Coordinates of all heavy atoms in Angstrom, one line a residue:
M1 N 162.9 94.1 160.2 CA 163.6 92.9 160.3 C 162.8 91.9 161.1 O 162.7 90.7 160.7 CB 165.0 93.1 161.0 CG 165.8 91.8 161.0 SD 167.5 92.3 161.5 CE 168.2 90.8 161.4
F2 N 162.1 92.3 162.1 CA 161.2 91.4 162.9 C 160.1 90.9 162.0 O 159.8 89.7 162.1 CB 160.7 92.2 164.1 CG 159.8 91.3 164.9 CD1 160.3 90.3 165.7 CD2 158.4 91.5 164.9 CE1 159.5 89.5 166.4 CE2 157.6 90.7 165.7 CZ 158.1 89.7 166.4
T3 N 159.5 91.8 161.2 CA 158.4 91.4 160.3 C 158.9 90.3 159.3 O 158.2 89.3 159.1 CB 157.9 92.6 159.6 OG1 157.5 93.6 160.5 CG2 156.7 92.2 158.7
L4 N 160.1 90.5 158.8 CA 160.6 89.5 157.9 C 160.8 88.1 158.6 O 160.5 87.1 158.0 CB 162.0 90.0 157.3 CG 162.7 89.1 156.4 CD1 161.8 88.8 155.1 CD2 164.0 89.6 155.9
L5 N 161.3 88.1 159.8 CA 161.5 86.9 160.5 C 160.1 86.2 160.7 O 160.0 85.0 160.5 CB 162.1 87.2 161.9 CG 162.4 86.0 162.8 CD1 163.3 85.0 162.1 CD2 163.1 86.4 164.1
V6 N 159.1 86.9 161.1 CA 157.8 86.3 161.3 C 157.3 85.8 160.0 O 156.8 84.6 159.9 CB 156.8 87.4 161.9 CG1 155.4 86.8 161.9 CG2 157.2 87.8 163.3
A7 N 157.4 86.5 158.9 CA 156.9 86.0 157.6 C 157.7 84.7 157.2 O 157.1 83.8 156.7 CB 157.1 87.1 156.5
T8 N 159.0 84.7 157.5 CA 159.8 83.5 157.1 C 159.3 82.3 158.0 O 159.1 81.2 157.5 CB 161.3 83.7 157.4 OG1 161.6 84.8 156.6 CG2 162.1 82.5 157.0
S9 N 159.0 82.5 159.2 CA 158.5 81.5 160.1 C 157.2 80.9 159.6 O 157.0 79.7 159.6 CB 158.4 82.0 161.6 OG 159.7 82.3 162.1
L10 N 156.3 81.8 159.2 CA 155.0 81.3 158.7 C 155.2 80.6 157.4 O 154.5 79.6 157.2 CB 154.1 82.5 158.5 CG 153.6 83.3 159.8 CD1 152.8 84.5 159.4 CD2 152.8 82.3 160.7
A11 N 156.1 81.0 156.6 CA 156.3 80.3 155.3 C 156.9 78.9 155.6 O 156.5 77.9 154.9 CB 157.2 81.1 154.4
V12 N 157.7 78.7 156.5 CA 158.3 77.4 156.8 C 157.3 76.5 157.5 O 157.3 75.3 157.3 CB 159.6 77.6 157.7 CG1 160.1 76.3 158.1 CG2 160.7 78.3 156.9
G13 N 156.5 77.0 158.4 CA 155.5 76.2 159.2 C 154.7 75.3 158.3 O 154.8 74.1 158.6
P14 N 154.0 75.7 157.4 CA 153.2 74.8 156.6 C 154.0 73.8 155.8 O 153.6 72.6 155.6 CB 152.4 75.7 155.6 CG 152.4 77.0 156.3 CD 153.7 77.1 157.0
T15 N 155.2 74.2 155.3 CA 156.0 73.3 154.6 C 156.5 72.1 155.5 O 156.4 71.0 155.1 CB 157.2 74.0 154.0 OG1 156.8 75.1 153.2 CG2 158.1 73.1 153.2
V16 N 156.9 72.5 156.7 CA 157.3 71.4 157.6 C 156.2 70.5 158.0 O 156.3 69.3 158.0 CB 157.9 72.1 158.9 CG1 158.2 71.0 160.0 CG2 159.2 72.8 158.6
A17 N 155.0 71.1 158.2 CA 153.8 70.3 158.5 C 153.5 69.3 157.4 O 153.2 68.2 157.6 CB 152.6 71.2 158.9
A18 N 153.5 69.8 156.2 CA 153.2 68.9 155.0 C 154.2 67.8 154.9 O 153.9 66.7 154.6 CB 153.1 69.8 153.8
H19 N 155.5 68.2 155.1 CA 156.5 67.2 155.0 C 156.3 66.1 156.1 O 156.5 64.9 155.9 CB 157.9 67.8 155.2 CG 159.0 66.8 155.1 ND1 159.3 66.1 153.9 CD2 159.9 66.4 156.0 CE1 160.3 65.3 154.2 NE2 160.7 65.5 155.4
A20 N 156.0 66.5 157.3 CA 155.8 65.6 158.4 C 154.7 64.6 158.1 O 154.8 63.4 158.3 CB 155.5 66.3 159.7
S21 N 153.6 65.1 157.5 CA 152.5 64.2 157.2 C 152.8 63.2 156.1 O 152.4 62.1 156.1 CB 151.2 65.0 156.9 OG 151.4 65.7 155.7
T22 N 153.7 63.7 155.2 CA 154.1 62.8 154.1 C 154.9 61.7 154.6 O 154.8 60.5 154.2 CB 154.9 63.6 153.0 OG1 154.0 64.6 152.5 CG2 155.3 62.7 151.9
T23 N 155.9 61.9 155.5 CA 156.7 60.9 156.0 C 156.0 59.9 156.9 O 156.4 58.8 157.1 CB 157.9 61.5 156.8 OG1 157.5 62.3 157.8 CG2 158.8 62.3 155.8
A24 N 154.9 60.4 157.5 CA 154.1 59.5 158.4 C 153.2 58.5 157.6 O 152.7 57.5 158.1 CB 153.2 60.3 159.3
A25 N 153.1 58.7 156.3 CA 152.2 57.8 155.5 C 152.9 56.5 155.3 O 154.1 56.4 155.4 CB 152.0 58.5 154.1
P26 N 152.1 55.4 155.1 CA 152.7 54.1 154.9 C 153.5 54.0 153.6 O 153.3 54.8 152.7 CB 151.5 53.2 154.8 CG 150.3 54.0 154.6 CD 150.7 55.4 155.1
A27 N 154.4 53.0 153.6 CA 155.2 52.8 152.4 C 154.3 52.5 151.2 O 153.2 52.0 151.3 CB 156.2 51.7 152.6
A28 N 154.8 52.9 150.0 CA 154.0 52.6 148.8 C 153.8 51.1 148.6 O 154.7 50.3 148.9 CB 154.8 53.2 147.6
A29 N 152.7 50.7 148.2 CA 152.3 49.3 148.0 C 153.1 48.8 146.8 O 153.3 49.5 145.8 CB 150.8 49.2 147.7
K30 N 153.6 47.6 146.9 CA 154.3 46.9 145.8 C 154.0 45.4 145.8 O 153.6 44.9 146.8 CB 155.8 47.2 145.8 CG 156.5 46.7 147.0 CD 158.0 47.1 146.9 CE 158.7 46.6 148.2 NZ 160.1 47.0 148.1
C31 N 154.2 44.8 144.7 CA 153.9 43.4 144.5 C 155.0 42.8 143.6 O 155.4 43.4 142.7 CB 152.5 43.3 143.9 SG 152.0 41.6 143.5
N32 N 155.3 41.5 144.0 CA 156.3 40.8 143.2 C 155.8 39.4 142.9 O 154.9 38.9 143.6 CB 157.6 40.6 144.1 CG 158.2 41.9 144.4 OD1 158.6 42.7 143.5 ND2 158.3 42.3 145.7
V33 N 156.3 38.8 141.8 CA 156.0 37.5 141.4 C 157.2 36.7 140.9 O 158.1 37.3 140.3 CB 154.9 37.5 140.3 CG1 155.3 38.2 139.0 CG2 154.4 36.1 140.0
E34 N 157.3 35.5 141.3 CA 158.5 34.6 140.8 C 158.0 33.2 140.7 O 157.0 32.8 141.3 CB 159.6 34.8 141.8 CG 159.4 34.1 143.1 CD 160.6 34.3 144.1 OE1 161.7 34.5 143.6 OE2 160.4 34.2 145.3
V35 N 158.8 32.4 140.0 CA 158.5 31.0 139.8 C 159.1 30.3 141.0 O 160.3 30.5 141.4 CB 159.2 30.4 138.5 CG1 158.9 29.0 138.4 CG2 158.6 31.2 137.3
D36 N 158.4 29.4 141.7 CA 158.9 28.6 142.8 C 159.5 27.3 142.3 O 159.6 27.0 141.1 CB 157.8 28.3 143.8 CG 156.7 27.4 143.4 OD1 156.8 26.7 142.4 OD2 155.6 27.5 144.0
S37 N 160.1 26.5 143.2 CA 160.8 25.3 142.8 C 159.9 24.2 142.1 O 160.4 23.4 141.4 CB 161.5 24.7 144.0 OG 160.6 24.4 145.0
A38 N 158.6 24.3 142.3 CA 157.7 23.4 141.7 C 157.2 23.8 140.4 O 156.3 23.2 139.8 CB 156.5 23.1 142.7
G39 N 157.6 25.0 139.9 CA 157.2 25.5 138.6 C 155.9 26.3 138.7 O 155.4 26.7 137.7
K40 N 155.4 26.6 139.9 CA 154.2 27.4 140.1 C 154.7 28.8 140.4 O 155.9 29.1 140.6 CB 153.4 26.9 141.3 CG 152.8 25.5 141.0 CD 151.7 25.7 140.0 CE 150.9 24.3 139.8 NZ 149.8 24.5 139.0
Y41 N 153.8 29.8 140.4 CA 154.1 31.2 140.7 C 153.8 31.6 142.1 O 152.8 31.1 142.7 CB 153.4 32.1 139.7 CG 154.0 31.9 138.3 CD1 153.5 31.0 137.5 CD2 155.1 32.6 137.9 CE1 154.0 30.8 136.2 CE2 155.6 32.5 136.7 CZ 155.1 31.5 135.8 OH 155.6 31.3 134.6
H42 N 154.7 32.3 142.7 CA 154.6 32.8 144.0 C 154.4 34.4 143.9 O 155.2 35.0 143.3 CB 155.8 32.5 144.8 CG 155.9 33.0 146.2 ND1 157.1 33.3 146.8 CD2 154.9 33.2 147.1 CE1 156.9 33.7 148.0 NE2 155.6 33.7 148.2
V43 N 153.3 34.9 144.5 CA 153.0 36.3 144.5 C 153.0 36.8 145.9 O 152.4 36.2 146.8 CB 151.7 36.6 143.8 CG1 151.3 38.1 143.8 CG2 151.7 36.1 142.3
W44 N 153.7 38.0 146.1 CA 153.6 38.6 147.5 C 153.7 40.1 147.3 O 154.2 40.6 146.4 CB 154.8 38.0 148.4 CG 156.1 38.5 148.1 CD1 156.8 39.6 148.7 CD2 157.0 38.1 147.1 NE1 158.0 39.7 148.1 CE2 158.2 38.8 147.1 CE3 156.9 37.0 146.1 CZ2 159.3 38.6 146.3 CZ3 158.0 36.8 145.3 CH2 159.2 37.6 145.4
G45 N 153.2 40.7 148.3 CA 153.1 42.2 148.3 C 153.3 42.8 149.7 O 153.2 42.1 150.7
E46 N 153.6 44.1 149.7 CA 153.8 44.8 151.0 C 153.4 46.3 150.8 O 153.4 46.7 149.7 CB 155.2 44.7 151.5 CG 156.3 45.2 150.6 CD 157.7 44.9 151.1 OE1 157.9 44.3 152.1 OE2 158.6 45.3 150.3
G47 N 153.2 46.9 151.9 CA 152.8 48.3 151.9 C 151.3 48.6 151.7 O 150.9 49.7 151.4
F48 N 150.5 47.5 151.8 CA 149.0 47.7 151.7 C 148.4 48.0 153.1 O 149.0 47.8 154.1 CB 148.4 46.4 151.1 CG 148.8 46.1 149.7 CD1 150.0 45.4 149.4 CD2 148.1 46.6 148.7 CE1 150.3 45.2 148.1 CE2 148.4 46.4 147.4 CZ 149.6 45.7 147.1
P49 N 147.2 48.5 153.1 CA 146.5 48.9 154.4 C 146.3 47.6 155.2 O 145.7 46.7 154.8 CB 145.2 49.5 154.0 CG 145.4 49.9 152.5 CD 146.4 48.9 151.9
A50 N 146.9 47.6 156.4 CA 146.8 46.4 157.3 C 145.3 46.1 157.6 O 144.5 47.0 157.8 CB 147.5 46.7 158.6
G51 N 145.0 44.8 157.8 CA 143.7 44.4 158.2 C 142.6 44.5 157.1 O 141.4 44.4 157.3
T52 N 143.0 44.8 155.8 CA 142.1 44.9 154.7 C 142.2 43.6 153.9 O 143.0 42.7 154.2 CB 142.3 46.1 153.9 OG1 143.6 46.1 153.3 CG2 142.2 47.4 154.7
T53 N 141.5 43.6 152.7 CA 141.6 42.5 151.8 C 141.9 43.2 150.4 O 141.3 44.2 150.1 CB 140.3 41.7 151.7 OG1 140.0 41.2 153.0 CG2 140.3 40.6 150.7
V54 N 142.7 42.5 149.6 CA 143.0 43.0 148.3 C 142.5 41.9 147.3 O 142.5 40.7 147.7 CB 144.5 43.3 148.0 CG1 144.9 44.5 148.8 CG2 145.4 42.1 148.2
T55 N 142.2 42.3 146.1 CA 141.9 41.3 145.1 C 143.1 41.2 144.1 O 143.8 42.2 143.9 CB 140.6 41.7 144.3 OG1 140.8 43.0 143.7 CG2 139.4 41.7 145.2
Y56 N 143.3 40.0 143.6 CA 144.4 39.9 142.6 C 143.8 39.2 141.4 O 142.8 38.5 141.4 CB 145.5 39.0 143.2 CG 145.1 37.6 143.6 CD1 145.2 36.5 142.7 CD2 144.6 37.4 144.9 CE1 144.8 35.2 143.1 CE2 144.2 36.1 145.3 CZ 144.3 35.0 144.4 OH 144.0 33.8 144.8
S57 N 144.3 39.6 140.2 CA 143.8 39.1 139.0 C 144.9 38.8 138.0 O 146.0 39.5 138.1 CB 142.7 40.0 138.3 OG 143.3 41.3 138.1
G58 N 144.8 37.9 137.2 CA 145.8 37.4 136.2 C 145.3 36.1 135.7 O 144.1 35.9 135.4
S59 N 146.2 35.2 135.6 CA 145.9 33.8 135.1 C 144.9 33.2 136.2 O 144.1 32.3 135.8 CB 147.1 32.9 135.0 OG 147.9 33.5 134.0
T60 N 145.1 33.6 137.4 CA 144.2 33.1 138.5 C 143.7 34.4 139.2 O 144.4 35.4 139.2 CB 145.0 32.3 139.5 OG1 145.7 31.2 138.8 CG2 144.2 31.7 140.6
S61 N 142.5 34.4 139.8 CA 142.1 35.6 140.5 C 141.4 35.2 141.8 O 141.0 34.0 142.0 CB 141.1 36.4 139.6 OG 140.0 35.6 139.3
G62 N 141.3 36.1 142.7 CA 140.7 35.9 144.0 C 141.0 37.1 144.9 O 141.3 38.2 144.5
S63 N 140.9 36.8 146.2 CA 141.2 37.9 147.2 C 142.0 37.3 148.3 O 142.0 36.0 148.5 CB 139.9 38.5 147.7 OG 139.1 37.5 148.4
V64 N 142.7 38.1 149.0 CA 143.6 37.7 150.0 C 143.6 38.7 151.1 O 143.6 39.9 150.8 CB 145.0 37.4 149.5 CG1 145.7 38.6 148.9 CG2 145.9 36.8 150.5
P65 N 143.6 38.3 152.4 CA 143.7 39.3 153.5 C 145.1 39.9 153.6 O 146.1 39.2 153.4 CB 143.3 38.5 154.7 CG 143.6 37.1 154.4 CD 143.5 37.0 152.9
I66 N 145.2 41.1 154.1 CA 146.5 41.8 154.3 C 146.7 41.6 155.8 O 145.8 41.9 156.7 CB 146.4 43.3 153.9 CG1 146.0 43.4 152.5 CG2 147.7 44.0 154.3 CD1 147.0 42.7 151.5
D67 N 147.9 41.2 156.2 CA 148.2 41.0 157.6 C 148.5 42.4 158.3 O 148.5 43.4 157.7 CB 149.4 40.0 157.8 CG 150.7 40.6 157.4 OD1 150.9 41.8 157.1 OD2 151.7 39.7 157.3
K68 N 148.8 42.3 159.6 CA 148.9 43.6 160.4 C 150.1 44.4 160.0 O 150.2 45.5 160.3 CB 148.9 43.3 161.9 CG 150.1 42.4 162.3 CD 149.9 42.2 163.8 CE 151.1 41.3 164.3 NZ 151.0 40.9 165.7
S69 N 151.1 43.8 159.3 CA 152.3 44.5 158.8 C 152.1 45.0 157.4 O 153.0 45.6 156.8 CB 153.5 43.6 158.9 OG 153.4 42.5 158.0
G70 N 150.9 44.8 156.8 CA 150.6 45.3 155.4 C 151.1 44.4 154.3 O 151.2 44.9 153.2
R71 N 151.2 43.1 154.6 CA 151.7 42.2 153.6 C 150.8 41.1 153.3 O 149.9 40.7 154.1 CB 153.0 41.5 154.2 CG 154.1 42.5 154.4 CD 155.3 41.9 155.0 NE 156.3 42.9 155.3 CZ 157.5 42.6 155.6 NH1 158.0 41.4 155.7 NH2 158.4 43.6 155.8
F72 N 151.0 40.5 152.1 CA 150.3 39.2 151.8 C 151.2 38.3 151.0 O 152.3 38.8 150.6 CB 149.0 39.5 150.9 CG 149.3 39.9 149.5 CD1 149.5 38.9 148.5 CD2 149.5 41.2 149.1 CE1 149.8 39.3 147.2 CE2 149.8 41.6 147.8 CZ 149.9 40.7 146.9
D73 N 150.9 37.0 151.0 CA 151.8 36.0 150.4 C 150.9 34.9 149.8 O 150.1 34.3 150.5 CB 152.7 35.5 151.4 CG 153.9 34.8 150.9 OD1 153.9 34.3 149.7 OD2 154.9 34.6 151.6
L74 N 151.1 34.7 148.5 CA 150.3 33.6 147.8 C 151.3 32.7 147.1 O 152.2 33.1 146.4 CB 149.3 34.2 146.8 CG 148.2 35.1 147.3 CD1 147.6 35.8 146.2 CD2 147.2 34.3 148.1
G75 N 151.0 31.4 147.1 CA 151.9 30.4 146.4 C 151.0 29.5 145.6 O 149.8 29.4 145.8
G76 N 151.7 28.7 144.7 CA 151.0 27.7 143.9 C 150.1 28.2 142.8 O 149.1 27.6 142.4
L77 N 150.4 29.4 142.4 CA 149.5 30.0 141.3 C 150.0 29.7 139.9 O 151.2 29.3 139.7 CB 149.5 31.6 141.5 CG 149.0 32.1 142.8 CD1 149.2 33.6 142.9 CD2 147.5 31.7 143.0
S78 N 149.1 29.9 138.9 CA 149.5 29.7 137.5 C 149.6 31.0 136.9 O 148.9 31.9 137.2 CB 148.5 28.8 136.8 OG 147.3 29.4 136.8
G79 N 150.6 31.2 136.0 CA 150.7 32.5 135.3 C 151.6 33.4 136.0 O 151.8 33.3 137.2
S80 N 152.2 34.3 135.3 CA 153.2 35.2 135.9 C 152.8 36.7 135.9 O 153.6 37.5 136.4 CB 154.6 35.1 135.1 OG 154.4 35.5 133.7
K81 N 151.7 37.0 135.4 CA 151.2 38.4 135.4 C 150.0 38.6 136.2 O 149.0 38.0 136.0 CB 150.9 38.9 133.9 CG 152.2 38.8 133.1 CD 151.9 39.3 131.7 CE 153.2 39.1 130.9 NZ 153.3 40.0 129.8
Y82 N 150.2 39.5 137.3 CA 149.2 39.7 138.2 C 149.0 41.2 138.5 O 150.0 42.0 138.5 CB 149.4 39.0 139.5 CG 149.1 37.5 139.4 CD1 150.2 36.7 139.0 CD2 147.9 37.0 139.5 CE1 150.0 35.3 138.8 CE2 147.6 35.6 139.4 CZ 148.7 34.8 139.0 OH 148.5 33.5 138.8
V83 N 147.8 41.6 138.8 CA 147.5 43.0 139.3 C 146.8 42.9 140.6 O 145.9 42.0 140.7 CB 146.6 43.7 138.2 CG1 146.2 45.1 138.7 CG2 147.4 43.9 136.9
V84 N 147.1 43.7 141.5 CA 146.5 43.7 142.9 C 145.8 45.0 143.1 O 146.4 46.0 142.8 CB 147.6 43.4 144.0 CG1 147.0 43.5 145.3 CG2 148.3 42.1 143.7
K85 N 144.6 44.9 143.6 CA 143.8 46.2 143.8 C 143.2 46.1 145.2 O 142.7 45.1 145.7 CB 142.7 46.2 142.8 CG 141.8 47.5 142.9 CD 140.7 47.5 142.0 CE 141.1 47.8 140.5 NZ 140.0 48.0 139.6
T86 N 143.3 47.3 145.9 CA 142.6 47.4 147.2 C 141.1 47.5 147.1 O 140.6 47.8 146.0 CB 143.1 48.7 148.0 OG1 142.9 49.8 147.2 CG2 144.6 48.6 148.3
A87 N 140.4 47.1 148.1 CA 138.9 47.1 148.1 C 138.3 48.4 147.7 O 137.3 48.5 147.1 CB 138.4 46.6 149.4
D88 N 139.0 49.5 148.2 CA 138.4 50.8 147.9 C 138.8 51.3 146.5 O 138.3 52.4 146.1 CB 138.9 51.9 149.0 CG 140.4 52.1 149.0 OD1 141.1 51.6 148.1 OD2 140.9 52.7 149.9
G89 N 139.6 50.6 145.8 CA 140.0 50.9 144.4 C 141.0 52.0 144.3 O 141.3 52.4 143.2
K90 N 141.5 52.5 145.4 CA 142.4 53.6 145.4 C 143.9 53.2 145.0 O 144.7 54.0 144.5 CB 142.5 54.4 146.7 CG 141.2 55.1 147.0 CD 141.3 55.8 148.3 CE 140.0 56.6 148.6 NZ 140.1 57.3 149.9
T91 N 144.2 51.9 145.2 CA 145.5 51.5 144.9 C 145.5 50.2 144.0 O 144.8 49.3 144.3 CB 146.3 51.1 146.2 OG1 146.3 52.2 147.1 CG2 147.7 50.6 145.9
T92 N 146.1 50.3 142.8 CA 146.2 49.2 141.9 C 147.7 49.1 141.6 O 148.4 50.0 141.2 CB 145.4 49.5 140.6 OG1 144.1 49.7 140.9 CG2 145.6 48.3 139.6
V93 N 148.2 47.8 141.8 CA 149.6 47.6 141.6 C 149.8 46.4 140.6 O 149.2 45.4 140.8 CB 150.3 47.3 142.9 CG1 151.8 47.0 142.8 CG2 150.1 48.4 144.0
T94 N 150.7 46.6 139.6 CA 151.0 45.5 138.7 C 152.3 44.8 139.4 O 153.2 45.5 139.7 CB 151.4 46.1 137.3 OG1 150.2 46.7 136.8 CG2 151.8 44.9 136.4
C95 N 152.2 43.5 139.5 CA 153.3 42.8 140.1 C 154.5 42.7 139.2 O 154.4 42.5 138.0 CB 152.8 41.4 140.5 SG 151.4 41.4 141.6
T96 N 155.6 42.9 139.8 CA 156.9 42.9 139.1 C 157.5 41.5 139.2 O 157.6 40.9 140.3 CB 157.9 43.9 139.7 OG1 157.2 45.2 139.7 CG2 159.2 44.0 139.0
A97 N 158.0 41.0 138.0 CA 158.7 39.7 138.0 C 160.0 39.8 138.7 O 160.8 40.7 138.4 CB 158.8 39.2 136.6
V98 N 160.3 38.8 139.5 CA 161.6 38.8 140.2 C 162.3 37.5 139.7 O 161.8 36.4 139.7 CB 161.4 38.7 141.8 CG1 162.7 38.5 142.5 CG2 160.7 39.9 142.3
H99 N 163.6 37.7 139.3 CA 164.4 36.6 138.8 C 165.6 36.4 139.7 O 166.3 37.4 140.0 CB 164.8 36.8 137.4 CG 163.7 37.0 136.5 ND1 162.9 36.0 136.0 CD2 163.2 38.2 135.9 CE1 161.9 36.5 135.2 NE2 162.1 37.8 135.2
H100 N 165.9 35.2 140.2 CA 167.1 35.0 141.0 C 168.2 34.4 140.2 O 168.1 33.7 139.3 CB 166.7 34.1 142.2 CG 165.7 34.7 143.1 ND1 166.0 35.6 144.1 CD2 164.4 34.5 143.2 CE1 165.0 36.0 144.7 NE2 163.9 35.3 144.2

């Protein structure tokens, strides 16, 4: 019975550790786009690595810095379809249209 208890503890240990590291990871990156009151497009995202830069492409393209909370915000753009990519190429997000 003691051996079974030890085996069970060992089996749970790595599972708990893996779960803990998963919950410590930053939120998944996402991006949204909507039409503003002037008829231009507003694109914003969150969940990106803080202090980095992402590139965006669509009807307009460029790069934008990510703030310390992992967010960016762009206004006055043309076109409604954008893709945002981190500099390391590990994260690519297609922006979702938001309608109010």
Side-chain angles (χ1 to χ4, degrees):
M1 186 169 180
F2 180 72
T3 305
L4 178 61
L5 180 59
V6 172
T8 303
S9 296
L10 292 175
V12 172
T15 303
V16 172
H19 180 67
S21 65
T22 301
T23 57
K30 62 182 178 178
C31 177
N32 297 297
V33 60
E34 70 180 340
V35 178
D36 66 18
S37 60
K40 294 288 187 175
Y41 291 89
H42 177 212
V43 177
W44 73 98
E46 60 188 359
F48 291 91
T52 62
T53 300
V54 295
T55 57
Y56 60 93
S57 58
S59 299
T60 307
S61 61
S63 61
V64 61
I66 302 301
D67 69 14
K68 64 183 177 182
S69 64
R71 299 177 182 191
F72 73 89
D73 195 340
L74 298 167
L77 301 173
S78 60
S80 63
K81 296 183 183 207
Y82 288 91
V83 174
V84 176
K85 183 185 284 189
T86 56
D88 63 9
K90 292 182 180 179
T91 304
T92 301
V93 180
T94 300
C95 301
T96 303
V98 176
H99 303 284
H100 295 280

